[in-house]
Amino acid sequence: MKPTEILFYVLTAITLLSASFVVTARNPIHSVLALILTFFTLSGHYILLNAQFLAAVNIIVYAGAIMVLFLFVIMFLNLKKEDEESKTTITKLAAVVVGGVMLVVMVAVFRVSSMATYNPATYSEKVGLVENLGIVLYKDYLLPFELASVLLLVAMVGAVMLGKREPGDRHY
């Protein structure tokens, strides 16, 4: 086995273990920390796929900013065992049914999908770099990119308008 294959299998094992710990952890803070580890191992997979920019963005945005936000929200919620109401059997049964349906859909999708193979004749070492990402984003997907930016602008304006004080309101 090549070193990259060994690294791939190690990263995959750590990713699967930490992702399962995210779901099964009883303490929400431990769950968030396991999710951070999952994001770091996914960044390792991105690096193995020669997508360094995506790996850096994943670490900075998801493992950095969003996980800090999750930790603050969990700490401010003050989750306690005595406040948690027990789940009914109908809720547990619904969760099992939904999980089973998702498993069946995922297995069906993986059975009909095909995997691309490595072709040394068409391989380019520039795949996954920022230059190619920018070309694809601003050439092939310009309209969806601009629509997403307009949508974010409208959401920001809406948030400012909702948060704006009316004249005569008290300032706290």
Side-chain angles (χ1 to χ4, degrees), residues 83-149:
D83 294 341
E84 183 180 324
E85 56 191 47
S86 62
K87 295 183 178 43
T88 62
T89 55
I90 294 175
T91 307
K92 292 177 184 177
L93 181 66
V96 168
V97 168
V98 168
V101 168
M102 286 182 62
L103 178 69
V104 168
V105 168
M106 285 177 49
V107 167
V109 166
F110 283 128
R111 290 188 79 198
V112 297
S113 65
S114 63
M115 215 162 145
T117 58
Y118 170 70
N119 186 359
T122 61
Y123 178 73
S124 171
E125 62 272 355
K126 292 189 173 191
V127 171
L129 297 180
V130 180
E131 179 183 358
N132 293 337
L133 180 66
I135 289 171
V136 168
L137 189 63
Y138 292 121
K139 183 179 175 195
D140 300 335
Y141 296 102
L142 182 64
L143 181 64
F145 181 75
E146 289 298 324
L147 289 176
S149 64

Side-chain angles (χ1 to χ4, degrees), residues 1-80:
M1 280 175 62
K2 299 180 205 171
T4 54
E5 289 180 19
I6 294 171
L7 184 61
F8 171 76
Y9 287 122
V10 168
L11 281 174
T12 302
I14 294 171
T15 304
L16 291 175
L17 285 174
S18 62
S20 65
F21 191 70
V22 167
V23 177
T24 59
R26 294 203 180 267
N27 188 345
I29 294 179
H30 293 159
S31 180
V32 169
L33 292 175
L35 189 58
I36 292 171
L37 179 62
T38 305
F39 283 143
F40 274 108
T41 55
L42 286 177
S43 293
H45 280 94
Y46 289 144
I47 290 172
L48 286 176
L49 290 170
N50 200 23
Q52 293 87 2
F53 177 71
L54 213 56
V57 167
N58 188 32
I59 289 173
I60 292 168
V61 173
Y62 289 109
I66 292 179
M67 286 298 108
V68 168
L69 178 69
F70 279 6
L71 276 174
F72 279 130
V73 167
I74 287 172
M75 285 192 263
F76 282 128
L77 285 178
N78 194 14
L79 301 172
K80 296 197 181 199

